[in-house]
Amino acid sequence: SSDPNANPVHSDGANDDDDDDDVIEEYTKIMDETVTLPDMWAILDCANIMEQQRPIHNESTWVYLRGAYIASVGYRNSTIRYDQIHGNGFPPDSIVVKHHPVKGRALFANQFFRKGDKVWGDGYSACFQEGLDYRNFLASIPAHLACDMLLWGYSKTSHGAWLDLDEASYMNHASDDDDRSDRPNTQYNVATRDIHPGEEILTDYMEFSEAAGWAELGLGSWGESDENLYYDDGDYVNDDTEDAEDAMMKEEL
């Protein structure tokens, strides 16, 4: 279920007290400033969560996540305003999200975009200038959603951590610098060539993400493979972090 209020730990009422204790323990661990991103992945049991097909989130889940973000950083520091709680950054009915047979969730065009057209706006991008705020956000939402956030988050040197809290998070990576058949068809929100209905919308993560930004926030890093953090044959590659290895920024089947 994509219900943000569904607690993935509780299966019945018999062990509610124990489950509440587990949630409090998870929160305490995530807020520990010595705990790194891979540690959080393990604490939340994200590897097991990602073994199941993840849901395509509905409007209520995005609204919930935006509210949790604003509560974590404070409205004054929020890059999402109250009038952006609903909706997304795409033209109406211009995109559709589906489960790709290899990549997991993926974003597809539902209309024709001409080269040079603006495909989406970044008004739903959440910025965290403080590592503590990022930790608080992750700790304040159910584990299954926090794992999605870890999957989709990216950092920028001197510009904090970022999350696209709308369907832009389903946009998969492609690069002109490798041997893949897929190539990016957007750059900085704009179509770099004509995109036809039914085509997957792709972008090069490396054009806007700088892995060193995580350490600046006191969140450690995903390991020695940070330069290849987002994509390697459809998987996240990190020899030091086996739990995250097959999931970061690309989902399992």
Side-chain angles (χ1 to χ4, degrees):
S1 169
S2 61
D3 180 1
N5 298 309
N7 190 329
V9 178
H10 294 184
S11 56
D12 55 45
N15 298 309
D16 279 356
D17 290 342
D18 290 342
D19 291 338
D20 289 343
D21 289 342
D22 290 342
V23 171
I24 293 170
E25 183 179 359
E26 286 178 0
Y27 178 89
T28 302
K29 288 180 179 178
I30 290 172
M31 295 305 293
D32 182 341
E33 293 187 12
T34 66
V35 169
T36 63
L37 295 168
D39 295 333
M40 295 180 203
W41 186 268
I43 290 166
L44 296 168
D45 199 24
C46 293
N48 286 331
I49 287 173
M50 290 298 166
E51 285 182 358
Q52 306 300 317
Q53 186 180 76
R54 297 292 297 133
I56 295 168
H57 297 313
N58 57 27
E59 174 78 358
S60 66
T61 302
W62 293 119
V63 168
Y64 168 80
L65 289 168
R66 293 165 197 159
Y69 161 67
I70 292 172
S72 296
V73 302
Y75 189 68
R76 179 178 296 180
N77 298 317
S78 172
T79 51
I80 295 177
R81 316 317 292 170
Y82 286 141
D83 61 0
Q84 296 165 301
I85 290 293
H86 295 274
N88 61 38
F90 296 86
D93 301 318
S94 65
I95 51 98
V96 62
V97 181
K98 297 185 289 186
H99 285 100
H100 189 284
V102 174
K103 300 176 181 179
R105 292 167 289 187
L107 185 72
F108 295 87
N110 199 40
Q111 70 168 49
F112 176 72
F113 291 99
R114 192 177 303 280
K115 180 180 179 180
D117 284 352
K118 186 175 182 179
V119 178
W120 82 99
D122 58 6
Y124 296 85
S125 297
C127 178
F128 299 82
Q129 295 287 356
E130 302 291 337
L132 187 62
D133 291 339
Y134 191 69
R135 292 177 186 275
N136 189 49
F137 172 72
L138 294 174
S140 71
I141 59 179
H144 66 112
L145 292 178
C147 291
D148 275 347
M149 300 301 101
L150 285 170
L151 192 73
W152 294 330
Y154 55 96
S155 63
K156 298 182 179 183
T157 305
S158 302
H159 291 283
W162 290 79
L163 285 164
D164 295 319
L165 296 183
D166 69 353
E167 286 79 1
S169 280
Y170 297 125
M171 199 176 310
N172 285 313
H173 173 73
S175 174
D176 288 320
D177 297 329
D178 59 28
D179 296 328
R180 300 175 192 282
S181 58
D182 287 344
R183 294 290 183 268
N185 49 26
T186 63
Q187 183 180 39
Y188 302 118
N189 305 8
V190 173
T192 56
R193 61 168 176 79
D194 290 351
I195 304 173
H196 296 271
E199 263 194 271
E200 186 179 1
I201 300 174
L202 299 164
T203 195
D204 186 344
Y205 295 168
M206 299 304 176
E207 292 187 344
F208 55 83
S209 176
E210 299 169 295
W214 295 118
E216 287 187 350
L217 294 172
L219 296 167
S221 76
W222 286 104
E224 295 179 359
S225 312
D226 271 348
E227 66 275 12
N228 297 317
L229 186 61
Y230 299 109
Y231 209 90
D232 188 280
D233 291 331
D235 297 319
Y236 168 60
V237 173
N238 183 341
D239 293 338
D240 297 331
T241 314
E242 294 180 1
D243 282 346
E245 186 173 87
D246 294 324
M248 182 63 189
M249 299 302 285
K250 269 304 186 184
E251 300 176 70
E252 291 294 334
L253 290 175

